[in-house]
Amino acid sequence: MPETRYRPRRSMIFAPGNKPRMCLKALDTGADMVCVDLEDAVAPDDKDAARDGAVSIFRDFTPDAGGPETLVRINSLHSLDGLKDVAALADLPNPPAGFMLAKVKSLGEVAMLDDVLSETGAASVLHVMIETNEALDQAFEIARSSRRVRSLIFGAIDMAADLRTTIDWENLLFARSRVVHAAAGAEIDLIDVPWLDLEDMDGLREEARRCSSLGFTGKAAIHPKQIPVLNETFSPAEEEVARAREIIAAFEAGDGGLVVHQGKLIEKPVLRSMQRIVAIADAQ
């Protein structure tokens, strides 16, 4: 399975599976990830059409090596639609690069999909939505439940409903922080829920800044005009990249578990963060 841990996942845009042309146009929005949505963006009566649309896309789709990461958000594996989604997509000659699992309640769901993909020989990775109280409780275990898991995705709207609160930042700070802890411990990416007000770009920028400061590595979008703000906010600054390169070089030149950089003692565990910053900067 190709290693994708350090690829940029600053931005992600959704497109409904029952509109294949819209999905293909999304590839040119500048988003790091494009998600063909079979779940929330699709009405119950259109689920079969959306599934057929996703199959038509990936049956003939050859990803561009320099293009966005493509994935499909399937319906909950507790539903018949979710099981149909897996059956239709997992065994394609060119299955999606990734599957997004919605409404996850236990790590068993992740393990089940991992088993199915292994049986079909698919190299697809997994992106797991943490949007239920059960998933929040098991976030640490879910993050480590499969070698395929590349990110957790925080679903604020469903989570707020489960927690009997609203989507205000303060009300979900504990939940976000818990998921940050889980993703960081597993060394995987963490993507936040979309900002829903298309006219409030300042609000988008501020929430993205808060997420980045908290430990998120990216955020989803509902419109292409949000993508540049997200890519800018979640990209390492030039001075961060320069510092990271210097620290990596210092460790490579040394023979111990720590180095001194600009008068400050830096221990080896910091090296992982520096490598991530450089890898993402180089991949942009």
Side-chain angles (χ1 to χ4, degrees):
M1 182 182 305
E3 178 55 65
T4 58
R5 177 169 297 172
Y6 289 130
R7 71 179 298 161
R9 293 189 175 106
R10 303 163 299 172
S11 56
M12 174 173 63
I13 192 164
F14 291 93
N18 56 329
K19 298 180 180 178
R21 291 182 63 185
M22 184 181 295
C23 296
L24 294 174
K25 286 182 178 180
L27 297 172
D28 297 321
T29 59
D32 290 331
M33 307 169 74
V34 171
C35 182
V36 178
D37 196 357
L38 306 184
E39 198 223 5
D40 279 351
V42 178
D45 290 343
D46 294 329
K47 295 290 187 183
D48 290 342
R51 187 179 306 112
D52 291 342
V55 168
S56 70
I57 291 171
F58 289 99
R59 182 169 47 216
D60 304 317
F61 178 65
T62 302
D64 183 345
E69 182 177 6
T70 54
L71 56 149
V72 175
R73 175 161 68 171
I74 60 175
N75 290 280
S76 169
L77 293 178
H78 294 278
S79 70
L80 181 58
D81 280 318
L83 297 177
K84 287 181 177 179
D85 294 341
V86 174
L89 293 164
D91 201 25
L92 288 174
N94 294 309
F99 286 86
M100 184 187 300
L101 283 74
K103 305 293 189 298
V104 171
K105 295 184 177 181
S106 72
L107 55 89
E109 295 167 57
V110 182
M112 182 181 78
L113 184 50
D114 188 332
D115 288 343
V116 170
L117 296 174
S118 295
E119 181 180 342
T120 62
S124 308
V125 299
L126 302 178
H127 301 273
V128 185
M129 296 199 71
I130 305 296
E131 56 183 342
T132 67
N133 203 9
E134 294 94 334
L136 184 63
D137 186 56
Q138 301 175 67
F140 298 90
E141 292 80 8
I142 288 172
R144 298 168 174 82
S145 60
S146 165
R147 64 188 179 89
R148 295 179 186 268
V149 177
R150 291 293 186 273
S151 79
L152 300 181
I153 301 168
F154 184 71
I157 296 175
D158 288 278
M159 182 63 72
D162 252 20
L163 296 179
R164 300 177 293 184
T165 186
T166 63
I167 62 171
D168 297 279
W169 178 264
E170 295 79 6
N171 295 346
L172 292 177
L173 182 56
F174 168 78
R176 277 192 170 95
S177 299
R178 181 173 173 83
V179 181
V180 166
H181 191 182
E187 298 186 53
I188 59 176
D189 288 317
L190 177 57
I191 301 164
D192 192 55
V193 67
W195 177 258
L196 300 178
D197 189 343
L198 287 177
E199 303 309 314
D200 186 5
M201 298 300 284
D202 289 338
L204 167 67
R205 189 179 299 276
E206 175 59 18
E207 185 165 275
R209 184 198 64 77
R210 286 180 171 183
C211 287
S212 177
S213 179
L214 190 62
F216 281 73
T217 57
K219 190 171 176 64
I222 58 172
H223 192 277
K225 73 178 185 179
Q226 296 177 321
I227 300 298
V229 172
L230 300 180
N231 286 347
E232 177 187 353
T233 303
F234 290 98
S235 292
E238 289 184 11
E239 55 269 24
E240 288 182 86
V241 178
R243 176 176 179 270
R245 292 190 194 279
E246 291 172 1
I247 291 173
I248 291 171
F251 273 106
E252 290 175 348
D255 57 2
L258 51 84
V259 300
V260 177
H261 179 262
Q262 297 181 347
K264 295 181 180 179
L265 192 66
I266 299 177
E267 297 181 336
K268 198 164 187 176
V270 175
L271 186 59
R272 289 200 302 264
S273 296
M274 300 300 102
Q275 290 169 334
R276 184 181 189 283
I277 288 171
V278 169
I280 289 175
D282 288 346
Q284 292 172 20

